Amino acid sequence: MTGPAQPTADPPADGPPPAAVPAPRAAGSDPHAAGAEGTAAGAERTAAGPVGRSPGQLMWRRFRRDRTGVVSAYVVLFFFLAALLAPLIARLYGKDPYTTYGLDRPGLLNEFYYPVKPNGGIDGEFWFGIEPQLGRDVFTQLLYGIRTSLLIATVVTVLCVVTGIVIGVTAGYLGGRVDNLLGRFIDLLLAFPAQLSFVAFTPVVYALFVSPEKETPTSLRVITLVLVMWVLGWMGLARLLRGQVLSLREREFIEAAKVTGASPWRIIRKELLPNLWTPILVQSTLMLPNFVTVEAALSFLGVGIVEPTPDWGRMFATGSRHYQNDITYMFFPGIAMVIFVVAFNLLGDSVRDAFDPKTKR
């Protein structure tokens, strides 16, 4: 027989609840190991959660997903490396762009001073053939020509970007009379037709330093090309940045920076410029190939780089005189120019899309 059930004691109504009894730990378990497991699990949960990314990281991630942009970047990088390493490549190749191999070695040019071998004299020794009339190596001429054109275009692009940033941001931020004065000055320079002005002003600048009877040094020609293209090439970026700054200076974060007592230089450097990198980078990628073609056009017309300095445009000028008898000489400079310009333009489009994902091509 079972006895009567023992009454259980109820906790007092006003007292605290009974303390929870800890569950018994299994035999042989290590409390430190359990703590480590908990820490590892917390770390896994943190890693699995969303991780914040900066705007630059998001832009880079979107750019890497664009196959066209990545391929274009590799092509552009290849051209710049070829230009920088042109002396080393020429040394390994065993040729230079100045030696007249066709005149020094019989059997390379015929009696009309055109390559004897077909396709412009292309063979295992002269990879891209030899030049008509003088018999210089085309491969090294193209390497050094790319080097000359990219050097001039890169310097002009940097100068135009810096000038456009300074004048455009200054006009947009200060406003008033400064904006009116700089705006009219930009309009005045934009009134000049660019290509015609390049052709017209370049000989004038030459004549200021060298008399017409004397040969203009190559260094002076390079400086003159940089100067003329710089003076007539920065206005588009300046006008674009002026409009951007005019809209940004009325935003709340600019007003808040002014209220806190920030100087104009600090506002421009910390608040405005970070919001202007997209148009600056996109315009830069469009300006550089444009200046490459401008420099080549000036050399083609005879007001840029002349003999014996290798240049992309001068190769076009030589090819235009001999294309009926040797079309191969113009083939490699032309293909290289098309590939470079198209790749750089596609790179600019990809950079714009990476900064602004709402833009659709």
Side-chain angles (χ1 to χ4, degrees):
M1 295 180 61
T2 59
Q6 298 295 329
T8 58
D10 295 330
D14 299 334
V21 179
R25 188 169 64 247
S29 61
D30 187 1
H32 299 288
E37 292 176 0
T39 304
E44 291 178 359
R45 287 193 298 270
T46 303
V51 180
R53 293 185 175 90
S54 65
Q57 291 174 333
L58 293 175
M59 185 277 295
W60 176 243
R61 186 179 182 183
R62 287 192 292 265
F63 179 78
R64 288 187 302 175
R65 291 178 177 177
D66 190 346
R67 295 183 179 179
T68 303
V70 173
V71 173
S72 301
Y74 279 118
V75 172
V76 171
L77 180 62
F78 169 78
F79 274 91
F80 275 96
L81 288 178
L84 290 174
L85 302 177
L88 177 60
I89 297 174
R91 183 178 301 177
L92 296 175
Y93 176 58
K95 300 290 187 300
D96 65 80
Y98 305 103
T99 303
T100 55
Y101 299 99
L103 299 179
D104 299 340
R105 293 164 51 182
L108 294 179
L109 298 177
N110 59 22
E111 63 273 15
F112 302 105
Y113 294 97
Y114 287 101
V116 173
K117 295 184 179 180
N119 300 321
I122 297 176
D123 57 12
E125 182 180 4
F126 299 97
W127 294 352
F128 288 1
I130 57 177
E131 179 187 21
Q133 303 300 315
L134 297 179
R136 292 178 294 194
D137 180 69
V138 177
F139 177 71
T140 53
Q141 277 201 344
L142 181 58
L143 279 179
Y144 278 83
I146 293 173
R147 180 186 179 92
T148 303
S149 298
L150 285 186
L151 172 64
I152 296 174
T154 303
V155 173
V156 174
T157 301
V158 172
L159 292 175
C160 289
V161 169
V162 173
T163 307
I165 291 175
V166 172
I167 295 182
V169 173
T170 301
Y173 183 76
L174 296 181
R177 294 182 177 179
V178 176
D179 181 27
N180 187 39
L181 178 62
L182 293 178
R184 301 294 77 76
F185 180 63
I186 292 174
D187 293 338
L188 175 64
L189 292 180
L190 286 175
F192 289 95
Q195 305 294 338
L196 182 60
S197 300
F198 292 145
V199 176
F201 290 150
T202 304
V204 175
V205 178
Y206 291 155
L208 293 177
F209 298 97
V210 179
S211 62
E213 294 80 12
K214 296 182 180 180
E215 180 66 26
T216 304
T218 302
S219 58
L220 179 59
R221 287 184 175 273
V222 172
I223 295 174
T224 302
L225 289 175
V226 171
L227 181 64
V228 172
M229 288 192 289
W230 171 36
V231 171
L232 298 174
W234 56 269
M235 296 83 68
L237 178 61
R239 170 173 279 188
L240 175 63
L241 295 182
R242 171 186 171 273
Q244 295 283 335
V245 174
L246 284 175
S247 62
L248 287 174
R249 71 175 186 176
E250 307 297 334
R251 302 283 292 273
E252 292 80 1
F253 64 94
I254 300 295
E255 297 296 333
K258 292 180 180 179
V259 170
T260 59
S263 63
W265 167 244
R266 179 176 178 83
I267 293 175
I268 292 174
R269 184 167 52 92
K270 295 292 185 179
E271 306 295 341
L272 290 177
L273 284 181
N275 292 281
L276 297 175
W277 285 121
T278 300
I280 291 173
L281 289 177
V282 172
Q283 286 297 114
S284 300
T285 56
L286 297 177
M287 290 167 64
L288 195 145
N290 178 61
F291 287 133
V292 168
T293 56
V294 169
E295 188 277 332
L298 293 176
S299 298
F300 177 83
L301 295 175
V303 295
I305 304 300
V306 297
E307 293 282 4
T309 305
D311 183 80
W312 225 337
R314 191 182 58 74
M315 294 186 72
F316 283 113
T318 303
S320 66
R321 295 194 299 266
H322 305 289
Y323 73 94
Q324 292 182 340
N325 298 301
D326 186 10
I327 190 63
T328 311
Y329 180 79
M330 188 181 287
F331 176 78
F332 293 105
I335 292 296
M337 177 72 75
V338 170
I339 292 175
F340 177 78
V341 173
V342 171
F344 227 114
N345 288 332
L346 292 177
L347 177 62
D349 293 339
S350 298
V351 171
R352 180 198 59 197
D353 296 342
F355 273 103
D356 187 6
K358 296 180 181 180
T359 304
K360 298 295 182 182
R361 276 186 284 173

